[in-house]
Amino acid sequence: MTLSFCSHAHSTMHKEYGMKERDKRILKERSVVLCREMVVEEILIQTLQTRGILTNSMAEEILNFADHFSLYPQDCGVPAKRARTNESMEASLDADSPATIPVQPCTQEFYLSHWQQAYKMTSSPRGLALVLSNVNFDPSMSEFDSRRGGEVDEEVLRKLFVELDFKVLIQRDLSAQDMRKCIEQFSQRTEHRDADCCAVSLLSHGIEGAVYGIDGQPLKLDWVFEAFNNAHCHQLQNKPKVFFIQACRGEEMDCGVDQLDGPGHTQSLGYEQRDAGWQEEEIESERREREERDKLRVKLPQRSDMICGFASLKGTAAMRNTKKGSWFVQELNMMLRQRARDTHLSDILVQVNGRIKEREGHAPGSAYHRCKEMSEFTSSLCKDLYLFPKYFPQS
């Protein structure tokens, strides 16, 4: 059965006779075969819906089947032979997700009521965004499988950052040493001086504390953060630096636990209290020390004003859909598009965590059926980080 024959036959049938219940039933029964014998593209499904050949529920069912026949390997540092036997599939939650929408613009009213407690975010472009994506690993130097679906994440992030008014630079399939050189050069670009923000996304296989180059060699994340700290990247001092890491942080699969219904239990955490034994002379001494510090040149901590979103928890695997990309990047993309207009980044990442928490893998008969993932983030931000998308105050 070819695509053109299928479309023409059903279009003619619909035009001359309408869609009979018998025809609907047959098409529904054959939906699995259709998914196995031809590439089902969402654009095709939408066309068939528009013509009235498919109902919304039928289209949704076909897309669900299509998702279930796609494999979803993990972004772990697992050799290829093991990875092929451990491939897992993602539950199709995407049918219930809204289609990609444009980044929603910030209003003047919101900007005027929030800019004072937030990082300055008025430059255009907002800053530079580096997307470093390793998809095809060198079989002569690495035992890692290619990261099918990684190219989807790359394109999703490119479009997202462009709409958020970042200048985007993409580098793909680099060795660990080339990744290091790329990051060093990026951190020293002169454009950072006039920008208000910086973003770095690393998409690769990984372990706790490192991501892999296509040569199978690790690049330590602490080194990456150090490249952008206050000592090494003067042009980004006091400016927010955003990192997104789509990579496994171990090989452990989160199999989830059953949620038990019942009343919650609360425990008092107590209150932090000032030591009642403080004496007046100690308070005075502290005041004098503070005044002496104020006379000195202002200093900064080595590392500050950073926020990093991780796809998974320490020691655990990150999940990736070979058609739609990783769970983490999917949810990050959707939340930023919907909420960047009125939500600061820390709260957006909390919402990403909540959406990731609800997702499950789908691999009947394997150890990874109903597997889970949990994202997290760390932050040394000192103000609210609003991107104020598509809003530029008058100078």
Side-chain angles (χ1 to χ4, degrees):
M1 178 184 293
T2 65
L3 176 60
S4 59
F5 175 79
C6 173
S7 178
H8 173 73
H10 285 288
S11 178
T12 302
M13 176 178 62
H14 175 70
K15 180 178 179 181
E16 295 180 0
Y17 306 106
M19 177 61 74
K20 298 180 179 179
E21 288 302 320
R22 181 191 62 185
D23 300 322
K24 294 180 181 178
R25 186 177 66 253
I26 293 173
L27 183 57
K28 184 175 181 180
E29 291 172 352
R30 297 290 289 173
S31 59
V32 177
V33 177
L34 287 173
C35 292
R36 287 174 171 166
E37 293 185 352
M38 67 181 184
V39 177
V40 181
E41 299 290 350
E42 291 187 28
I43 231 174
L44 164 65
I45 302 303
Q46 292 170 1
T47 301
L48 295 178
Q49 283 179 274
T50 301
R51 294 181 181 180
I53 296 173
L54 293 179
T55 65
N56 291 338
S57 60
M58 293 166 67
E60 181 176 313
E61 184 173 355
I62 291 175
L63 288 174
N64 285 349
F65 277 121
D67 277 340
H68 287 178
F69 288 120
S70 297
L71 296 175
Y72 306 89
Q74 308 145 26
D75 282 336
C76 306
V78 182
K81 290 182 180 180
R82 289 180 58 189
R84 290 191 185 100
T85 59
N86 289 344
E87 287 181 323
S88 59
M89 292 163 53
E90 175 192 2
S92 179
L93 305 183
D94 302 279
D96 297 325
S97 301
T100 297
I101 61 172
V103 170
Q104 299 300 292
C106 171
T107 64
Q108 181 182 38
E109 292 75 16
F110 184 84
Y111 174 81
L112 292 176
S113 62
H114 288 79
W115 71 270
Q116 288 184 314
Q117 68 263 33
Y119 285 100
K120 177 178 176 291
M121 198 63 59
T122 59
S123 64
S124 183
R126 293 291 191 242
L128 302 184
L130 173 65
V131 178
L132 208 163
S133 172
N134 288 338
V135 175
N136 302 299
F137 284 71
D138 189 335
S140 67
M141 295 187 288
S142 165
E143 295 183 327
F144 300 146
D145 266 335
S146 63
R147 298 178 57 255
R148 291 183 298 152
E151 68 283 358
V152 179
D153 285 344
E154 174 187 312
E155 180 63 8
V156 164
L157 288 175
R158 184 192 68 80
K159 291 180 177 178
L160 174 65
F161 282 126
V162 166
E163 286 194 58
L164 290 170
D165 196 33
F166 281 79
K167 180 179 178 181
V168 184
L169 297 90
I170 295 180
Q171 294 290 332
R172 181 192 272 196
D173 296 343
L174 300 181
S175 67
Q177 184 59 33
D178 287 341
M179 292 168 70
R180 177 184 284 266
K181 290 179 181 178
C182 176
I183 290 170
E184 284 179 335
Q185 293 171 359
F186 178 79
S187 69
Q188 297 304 311
R189 291 184 68 125
T190 58
E191 295 99 314
H192 292 309
R193 180 183 59 227
D194 300 319
D196 290 334
C197 189
C198 171
V200 176
S201 299
L202 303 180
L203 319 174
S204 189
H205 287 301
I207 56 173
E208 172 58 24
V211 294
Y212 285 107
I214 62 168
D215 56 350
Q217 297 301 309
L219 176 68
K220 291 186 177 181
L221 293 179
D222 274 344
W223 178 89
V224 175
F225 300 141
E226 184 178 341
F228 293 90
N229 72 11
N230 294 318
H232 293 94
C233 192
H234 300 159
Q235 298 177 105
L236 287 172
Q237 286 183 354
N238 298 312
K239 298 177 182 179
K241 295 159 280 282
V242 179
F243 301 87
F244 298 127
I245 313 297
Q246 172 54 47
C248 283
R249 299 171 69 186
E251 300 180 21
E252 181 182 342
M253 181 63 63
D254 187 342
C255 297
V257 298
D258 293 334
Q259 177 174 306
L260 302 179
D261 293 331
H265 296 281
T266 59
Q267 180 179 354
S268 173
L269 299 178
Y271 295 93
E272 183 177 352
Q273 297 180 344
R274 171 169 289 193
D275 186 348
W278 274 27
Q279 302 297 318
E280 290 185 5
E281 56 266 31
E282 291 176 310
I283 296 175
E284 177 62 20
S285 174
E286 182 184 53
R287 184 188 64 79
R288 288 196 298 268
E289 289 179 6
R290 184 168 60 249
E291 288 176 350
E292 288 298 316
R293 288 197 301 269
D294 290 343
K295 295 177 183 178
L296 300 175
R297 182 180 177 182
V298 174
K299 297 184 71 174
L300 294 171
Q302 286 281 333
R303 185 186 300 179
S304 66
D305 306 289
M306 293 185 179
I307 186 168
C308 182
F310 294 92
S312 59
L313 300 179
K314 180 179 178 180
T316 65
M319 304 304 295
R320 174 171 29 85
N321 181 311
T322 60
K323 282 187 171 183
K324 298 184 178 181
S326 65
W327 291 7
F328 178 66
V329 172
Q330 287 178 54
E331 301 298 354
L332 178 67
N333 174 57
M334 188 56 63
M335 287 295 94
L336 279 168
R337 288 179 176 277
Q338 290 179 338
R339 302 305 304 273
R341 63 183 301 181
D342 60 4
T343 307
H344 60 75
L345 187 58
S346 297
D347 277 357
I348 288 175
L349 289 177
V350 168
Q351 294 169 16
V352 170
N353 286 350
R355 292 175 68 96
I356 293 288
K357 178 183 175 183
E358 299 301 319
R359 302 188 75 143
E360 286 188 357
H362 181 86
S366 80
Y368 304 108
H369 186 48
R370 300 197 66 188
C371 64
K372 304 290 289 185
E373 176 180 304
M374 192 62 238
S375 55
E376 69 172 353
F377 68 95
T378 61
S379 174
S380 60
L381 294 180
C382 304
K383 298 180 180 180
D384 292 337
L385 174 49
Y386 290 101
L387 296 173
F388 300 124
K390 303 181 182 181
Y391 180 77
F392 303 94
Q394 299 296 321
S395 57

